[in-house]
Each structure stands twice: as C-alpha cells, then as structure tokens.
Amino acid sequence: MKKILTLTFFIISFSIFAQQKLKVKVVNEKDPICGMNTAQFLTDTAIYQKKIYGFCSKSCKVEFKKKPKKYVKKK
C-alpha cells in the first residue's frame, strides 16, 4: 500500500511539474509549429539566431529544431 501511495504521489507531482509554464521572454507570441499561444502554454524554448523561441511542448520544439528556417517568420 505504501508503494502505491508513493507512486501515485510521484505521478501527480510529475504531472503538475510538467504542466507548469516557463517565465521566459520569447520572440514569438504563438508556437511556430502548432499555433498555440505561448503566453499561456510556454513549456519549452529553443535558441535560434540569438533569439529565444517558445513552444507549448517538447514535440513542437523538436519539430522546430529539424528545420528552423521553415518556421521563423521573415521580417
């Protein structure tokens, strides 16, 4: 019973930690991959050309890092 409670606490703690958003200033308002609002859902970042880009998830960050030029808006 003690192991089950410990495991349950760990899973709940991990879930809460994984959902916490970062408090980092990024150059994009929306996740360049999925379009989610990074102000509300920022959980990961990547640096490209000396700028910090924000993402809602690790999977979006991984996709961005494959071909960043495809997702960076030209100004």
Side-chain angles (χ1 to χ4, degrees), residues 23-67:
K23 294 180 181 178
V24 178
K25 186 163 175 89
V26 296
V27 296
N28 54 311
E29 292 181 14
K30 295 188 180 258
D31 186 311
I33 306 303
C34 70
M36 287 183 78
N37 185 332
T38 56
Q40 294 175 347
F41 302 102
L42 181 65
T43 61
D44 212 338
T45 62
I47 298 174
Y48 177 69
Q49 295 183 340
K50 299 181 183 178
K51 295 179 183 173
I52 302 173
Y53 291 86
F55 305 92
C56 69
S57 67
K58 184 176 181 176
S59 60
C60 284
K61 175 184 173 178
V62 169
E63 185 63 30
F64 175 84
K65 290 180 87 175
K66 289 178 186 176
K67 295 181 181 178

